[in-house]
Amino acid sequence: MAAKDDYLVETLCDMGVVHEDQVDTARTTADMAGVGVVDTLIKQKAINSEHLIRARAMHFGMEVVDLQDVVPTDELVQAMPRHIARRYNVLPLQIDGNSLTVATSDPSDLEMMDGVQRMLPEHEIFYQVASDQQILAALDKFYGGTGQAVERVVQELSQTQVDIDAAAGGKTKKQTEAEIDAGDDSPLIRLVAKIIAEGYKLGCSDVHIEPFERTLRIRYRIDGSLRAVASPPLRLHPPIISRIKIMSSMSISEKRVPQDGRMQQLIGDKVIDFRVSCLPTQYGESIVMRILDKGGLSLGLDQLGFMRDDQETFERCAQMPDGILLVTGPTGSGKTTTLYSCLNLLNTPQKKIITVEDPVEYMLDGINQVQVNELAGMTFSAALRSMLRQAPNIIMLGEIRDAETGTIAVNASLTGHFVFSTLHTNDAPGAITRMIDLGIKPFLVSSATRCVMGQRLVRKICSKCGGKGELTEEELTALEITPEMAASANFRKGAGCKVCGGSGLKGRMGIFEVYPLNDTDRRMIIDGAPTADLRAHAIKCGMKSLRMDGVRKVLAGTTIAQEVISNTTSDQKE
């Protein structure tokens, strides 16, 4: 200890913080007690932690950094994942190309530096010095406080294992699910509840629990992006998975095939529903818990992010007496929320609504919902064929997947029913081609389709820290924003705060392209016009593409340019 202290003692003397006679006295006391000279100087109040930080920085030629005003960004969090930052007690401060500046409290720790460089080989690491307390506080701000909360329960669970071993006479004994799960207050139950509750409080949509060869990883999907948090040790993976499988009515003995289930968790005073998927992987079962929060289903169309003209067009099409309305986009683009918002608009005692879903995620009052069960023969097409005998006014299909389902849906729409459904296509006009590719006759597609809407989700600027912003030349060029458009724009960005986790972005909204078909579109479909021609005609008739709608929202100051650019990369340039 004394040898390690020597450089600090010399530097403290050079700084004039202590005198040599103080050091001599402290060294005598330290040798008698078998402790370090620096620790003795601190105990004697000759120096404090600030002196140590300055001395370490001076000796190694580094800067001292105050972390109180450091704002975490997504780029920094991605550059240094949480498990690395927590393991080595370091904090990412700045990234410039492949150069990453990091804060440490101990620049003499060569093992730490070697470990960080080995874990991040793509970066050249530079260091600045900060206090241990500030680094710990900043780690919570960067990566959320979930880690410490989970770690405390993990420590208690580990102590439970020690107690069991001790009770067994000091012999190692493998802890079983029944032993850990020995009551509502058992550490395992509280660990699983804490993992779920912290994710919900952070506003995540999914909780991911993934085993690997040497680690167990827990991640939360927040506003569409996955964020890793501190995870329990790998040895706790089996009991955690067993606990979740019991909660969601899965078989804990079956580990070779995928399983699906549902469960509820009391968080605060609110009961939250979860859809649970369990998938066997190379290193064990992976669990994903999707939060089914009904709060989003009560959203009106005006809360989804529509500009006024698109909302008026979409609402007019959604209230037609018959025909098909399609919502398109990739998985996770908000199609289900849009469909349910439409049903809320149309759900009145005068109309009978039946849905066919796989799975039924949300139970809605006043709506007849049918669960698809392929094994029992309840396919989309079978359910749709049967529900027509129920004389519904409005039908919602979770997805048109094949020619049989599509043909039945089209025929239903031509016999006085209004049909909502979804397709996986890149844009709205592409849905027409997709329907025909499935095997549905072009004249049927032309006659039945009233409107197609493509959508994506982009993150919104944080309402707490949002302020005036500017776009770079590259962003202006990519979005084709002219100087005239920029002159009247309200460009904004988020500075980063506790509410948004330092990203400057909080919550999501839709960007849309609403494509109502007219007589010319119908003739083009029957004549076999390609998607590009349908798209060009739609824009000529006033349709705003996804990129165009995103630009409008950047100009209005509700999102940032990079969100629109990254989510509309497939948008064709007109």
Side-chain angles (χ1 to χ4, degrees), residues 49-50 53 67 89 105 130-139:
S49 58
E50 184 179 345
I53 293 299
L67 302 182
N89 198 39
S105 62
S131 72
D132 211 36
Q133 294 82 355
Q134 279 201 343
I135 289 177
L136 289 173
L139 285 173

Side-chain angles (χ1 to χ4, degrees), residues 254-294:
E254 181 55 77
K255 301 179 180 180
R256 299 167 298 174
V257 298
Q259 296 186 69
D260 294 302
R262 297 175 72 102
M263 71 180 196
Q264 292 185 327
Q265 178 78 18
L266 181 64
I267 302 177
D269 58 353
K270 190 175 181 181
V271 176
I272 305 299
D273 294 317
F274 293 84
R275 188 184 77 214
V276 184
S277 171
C278 181
L279 179 69
T281 69
Q282 184 177 2
Y283 297 110
E285 292 173 291
S286 173
I287 287 275
V288 176
M289 293 175 278
R290 166 64 60 89
I291 296 176
L292 305 177
D293 188 357
K294 295 181 181 178

Side-chain angles (χ1 to χ4, degrees), residues 26 69 78 87 109 178 193 324 423 492 573:
D69 298 325
Q78 291 169 6
R87 176 176 177 178
D109 189 346
I324 289 181
L423 276 176
R492 298 176 72 246
K573 184 177 179 181

Side-chain angles (χ1 to χ4, degrees), residues 164-174:
I164 290 175
D165 292 343
K171 297 179 180 179
T172 302
K173 174 187 174 186
K174 186 175 181 181

Side-chain angles (χ1 to χ4, degrees), residues 332-557:
S333 60
K335 300 188 297 295
T336 299
T337 300
T338 298
L339 288 180
Y340 277 119
S341 296
C342 289
L343 294 184
N344 281 329
L345 174 71
L346 303 172
N347 188 13
T348 65
Q350 291 75 37
K351 294 180 180 178
K352 179 162 184 172
I353 302 175
I354 304 180
T355 73
V356 186
E357 304 170 64
D358 184 21
V360 174
E361 294 188 352
Y362 306 95
M363 308 301 180
L364 301 178
D365 291 336
I367 294 178
N368 300 276
Q369 296 173 267
V370 178
Q371 169 71 56
V372 168
N373 186 338
E374 300 277 354
L375 294 177
M378 180 63 85
T379 61
F380 272 105
S381 56
L384 181 55
R385 193 179 294 109
S386 297
M387 72 163 56
L388 292 176
R389 304 188 193 104
Q390 297 281 315
N393 301 103
I394 297 168
I395 296 169
M396 188 191 89
L397 287 173
E399 183 183 353
I400 293 178
R401 298 181 176 179
D402 51 51
E404 184 181 10
T405 303
T407 301
I408 297 171
V410 166
N411 288 330
S413 71
L414 295 173
T415 55
H417 306 86
F418 195 81
V419 179
F420 291 94
S421 192
T422 68
L423 276 176
H424 291 279
T425 61
N426 289 330
D427 60 4
I432 302 299
T433 306
R434 174 65 177 152
M435 293 270 282
I436 295 171
D437 288 344
L438 283 175
I440 305 170
K441 300 296 184 182
F443 76 90
L444 291 177
V445 175
S446 171
S447 301
T449 309
R450 300 289 179 263
C451 178
V452 185
M453 185 177 75
Q455 69 177 70
R456 298 288 190 278
L457 291 177
V458 296
R459 290 182 291 176
K460 298 188 292 185
I461 294 170
C462 177
S463 60
K464 295 295 183 183
C465 64
K468 185 174 176 58
E470 298 293 338
L471 268 61
T472 65
E473 287 296 326
E474 291 80 5
E475 290 171 335
L476 290 169
T477 301
L479 296 180
E480 300 182 359
I481 296 176
T482 64
E484 293 75 21
M485 296 165 67
S488 59
N490 178 31
F491 295 134
R492 298 176 72 246
K493 68 176 181 179
C497 64
K498 186 175 181 180
V499 172
C500 62
S503 68
L505 301 165
K506 182 65 176 176
R508 292 190 290 176
M509 67 178 179
I511 54 175
F512 307 96
E513 55 182 21
V514 182
Y515 173 36
L517 276 68
N518 58 31
D519 290 341
T520 302
D521 293 303
R522 300 183 199 288
R523 285 195 298 271
M524 292 175 69
I525 293 170
I526 294 173
D527 292 340
T531 299
D533 291 352
L534 292 172
R535 181 178 180 78
H537 179 259
I539 290 176
K540 182 179 178 181
C541 292
M543 182 188 85
K544 303 293 189 300
S545 71
L546 291 167
R547 175 65 63 89
M548 294 174 183
D549 191 45
V551 168
R552 292 198 290 177
K553 286 159 185 173
V554 171
L555 296 174

Side-chain angles (χ1 to χ4, degrees), residues 280-332:
T281 69
Q282 184 177 2
Y283 297 110
E285 292 173 291
S286 173
I287 287 275
V288 176
M289 293 175 278
R290 166 64 60 89
I291 296 176
L292 305 177
D293 188 357
K294 295 181 181 178
L297 300 183
S298 60
L299 294 176
L301 290 173
D302 57 335
Q303 296 173 275
L304 300 181
F306 280 103
M307 302 298 278
R308 180 173 297 179
D309 55 346
D310 281 344
Q311 182 178 338
E312 290 175 352
T313 301
F314 186 70
E315 285 189 359
R316 183 178 71 253
C317 293
Q319 296 182 77
M320 290 183 175
D322 56 22
I324 289 181
L325 186 150
L326 295 171
V327 180
T328 76
T331 300

